[in-house]
């Protein structure tokens, strides 16, 4: 349930970033979907209270936006995003969209449960290696979240966002925002628009960074970075032993 998972993942990432930040000064950050909120907190653009408040409303509005619609999100592996979009478009479904453009060969789709099921075989017949259902309760980054975006803009109007201390690549356009107003707009629009992670990784590559740290309980983003041909080393803080090793490396 997204009302539980969003604050839980956010707090986990925030705690790791707080401890790690005492040892490492990032040159820039990026966060995938919910991780964008953690990224702005890490970069000094948000304070903890506002970030938690924002996530509470974010999760609530997303659940409300879904309503009683039965939805599903699935990862399509081994197929180009343009081919996926064409298949979805040809279906002429009521609600069927590509929502996370994660790598050249991984795209997440969202839609009505029946329509997702109806398109799986065609995706496999036309080249997809796998179609894997995700354990989520809302169709994030889909047009079904438009009302949630409108409500979030009102919440953000009441919050004080600062320009971050170092660059943050945002999901909406894979760009680094230039104003606090732009940050707010992008944070709200993000949940009803596709995550442009391929473009974000292409932006990241231009900076030629040598070390990358994935600060949440998984290795997913490190894997996606490699699929997007990001060069350099990767440390995924997916267990306590890895985390301790990293701190020891920096002398704590």
């Amino acid at each position: 349930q997204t009302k539980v998972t969003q604050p839980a993942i956010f707090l986990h990432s925030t705690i790791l970033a707080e401890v790690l930040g005492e040892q490492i000064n990032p040159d820039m950050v990026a966060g995938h979907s919910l991780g964008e909120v953690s990224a702005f907190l890490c970069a000094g653009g948000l304070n903890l209270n506002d970030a938690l408040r924002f996530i509470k409303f974010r999760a609530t509005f997303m659940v409300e936006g879904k309503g009683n619609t039965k939805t599903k999100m699935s990862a399509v592996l081994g197929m180009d995003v343009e081919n996926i979009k064409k298949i979805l478009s040809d279906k002429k479904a009521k609600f069927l969209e590509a929502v996370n453009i994660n790598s050249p060969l991984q795209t997440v789709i969202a839609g009505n449960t029946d329509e997702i099921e109806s398109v799986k075989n065609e995706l496999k017949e036309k080249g997809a290696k796998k179609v894997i259902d995700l354990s989520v309760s809302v169709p994030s980054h889909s047009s079904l979240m438009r009302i949630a975006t409108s409500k979030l803009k009102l919440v953000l109007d009441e919050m004080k966002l600062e320009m971050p201390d170092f660059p943050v690549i945002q999901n909406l356009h894979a760009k680094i925002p230039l104003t606090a107003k732009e940050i707010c707009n992008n944070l709200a629009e993000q949940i009803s628009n596709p995550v442009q992670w391929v473009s974000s990784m292409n932006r990241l590559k231009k900076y030629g960074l040598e070390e990358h740290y994935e600060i949440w309980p998984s290795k997913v983003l490190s894997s996606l970075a490699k699929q997007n041909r990001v060069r350099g080393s990767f440390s995924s803080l997916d267990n306590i032993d890895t985390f301790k090793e990293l701190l020891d490396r920096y002398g704590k």
Side-chain angles (χ1 to χ4, degrees):
Q1 292 296 317
T2 198
K3 285 186 178 180
V4 176
T5 56
Q6 286 198 34
I9 292 173
F10 168 76
L11 284 171
H12 181 279
S13 301
T14 297
I15 291 166
L16 291 180
E18 182 73 17
V19 176
L20 193 62
E22 296 175 3
Q23 308 299 317
I24 299 172
N25 294 315
D27 292 300
M28 66 188 315
V29 290
H32 189 289
S33 188
L34 173 67
E36 190 169 283
V37 185
S38 306
F40 274 107
L41 179 67
C42 176
L46 270 171
N47 63 55
L48 180 59
N49 286 339
D50 278 348
L52 283 169
R53 183 164 171 257
F54 174 74
I55 287 171
K56 174 186 175 182
F57 284 113
R58 185 182 191 270
T60 300
F61 295 158
M62 290 173 78
V63 172
E64 291 174 353
K66 174 181 178 289
N68 295 322
T69 305
K70 293 183 178 180
T71 64
K72 180 178 283 189
M73 294 181 73
S74 301
V76 182
L77 308 182
M79 179 178 274
D80 178 82
V81 64
E82 294 306 322
N83 289 330
I84 293 171
K85 287 180 178 179
K86 186 177 186 308
I87 291 170
L88 300 187
S89 176
D90 290 346
K91 271 288 184 180
K92 300 189 186 319
K94 183 179 180 181
F95 169 48
L96 198 55
E97 302 169 3
V99 294
N100 291 357
I101 318 303
N102 286 335
S103 81
L105 295 177
Q106 186 194 119
T107 299
V108 175
I109 62 175
N112 292 334
T113 300
D114 292 342
E115 290 175 339
I116 289 283
E117 290 300 319
S118 72
V119 81
K120 282 183 177 179
N121 285 338
E122 185 173 353
L123 287 166
K124 292 176 183 177
E125 288 170 0
K126 293 187 176 179
K129 292 182 179 179
K130 290 183 180 180
V131 182
I132 303 171
D133 292 343
L134 305 184
S135 298
V136 294
S137 60
V138 294
S140 305
H141 311 293
S142 72
S143 58
L144 206 62
M145 299 288 104
R146 288 306 309 170
I147 294 176
T149 284
S150 298
K151 291 180 178 178
L152 269 180
K153 287 183 178 180
L154 297 177
V155 171
L156 285 162
D157 283 344
E158 299 175 357
M159 292 185 181
K160 184 180 180 182
L161 272 79
E162 307 280 352
M163 287 303 296
D165 299 330
F166 40 83
V168 179
I169 302 173
Q170 289 198 271
N171 291 182
L172 183 64
H173 300 306
K175 295 179 180 178
I176 295 167
L178 300 178
T179 65
K181 184 177 181 180
E182 185 181 356
I183 292 171
C184 290
N185 179 74
N186 293 349
L187 280 170
E189 289 286 344
Q190 181 227 63
I191 63 170
S192 57
N193 286 278
V195 173
Q196 300 294 344
W197 200 247
V198 170
S199 297
S200 296
M201 293 297 95
N202 287 338
R203 171 91 45 191
L204 180 67
K205 284 188 285 189
K206 293 179 180 179
Y207 289 82
L209 303 178
E210 296 181 357
E211 297 181 353
H212 308 86
Y213 302 92
E214 181 173 4
I215 306 179
W216 80 300
S218 176
K219 294 182 178 180
V220 171
L221 296 184
S222 294
S223 175
L224 290 179
K226 294 172 185 177
Q227 289 177 37
N228 282 290
R229 300 185 182 278
V230 177
R231 295 182 178 180
S233 66
F234 297 88
S235 298
S236 302
L237 309 183
D238 60 321
N239 64 71
I240 189 63
D241 291 333
T242 303
F243 190 56
K244 287 179 177 178
E245 289 173 7
L246 186 60
L247 291 180
D248 288 342
R249 187 191 312 169
Y250 286 95
K252 183 171 181 177

